[in-house]
Amino acid sequence: PGDYLAFRVTASGAPDPSFGYAGIVTADFGAEEAALDGVLQPDDKIVLAGTGGGNSGVVRLSANGACDATFGNHGIQVVPL
């Protein structure tokens, strides 16, 4: 299955080691999914939205790439289509 993917690089273009694992974070909804849009909030949290497995999904990540436990179900909100 596919996953939502976020990555962050430093000003020089290298992967940012302070974000996720070597600059990369994935979120798996357990189905064939794809993030279709993303936004950086003023508080540096990242919101990814997309579809997969007959659902819409939103993931919110903290500035370090961890799922934001204050959002949805441990950082993930799934909405049936």
Side-chain angles (χ1 to χ4, degrees), residues 7-56:
F7 63 94
R8 185 166 63 196
V9 296
T10 64
S12 69
D16 184 347
S18 70
F19 184 76
Y21 178 74
I24 298 172
V25 171
T26 61
D28 185 3
F29 288 82
E32 218 30 71
E33 66 265 340
L36 302 174
D37 206 353
V39 64
L40 178 63
Q41 296 183 169
D43 60 0
D44 289 333
K45 291 182 180 175
I46 299 166
V47 178
L48 302 173
T51 62
N55 298 309
S56 292

Side-chain angles (χ1 to χ4, degrees), residues 45-76:
K45 291 182 180 175
I46 299 166
V47 178
L48 302 173
T51 62
N55 298 309
S56 292
V58 180
V59 175
R60 187 163 70 182
L61 305 171
S62 65
N64 69 0
C67 282
D68 179 3
T70 67
F71 178 81
N73 185 11
H74 304 287
I76 298 172

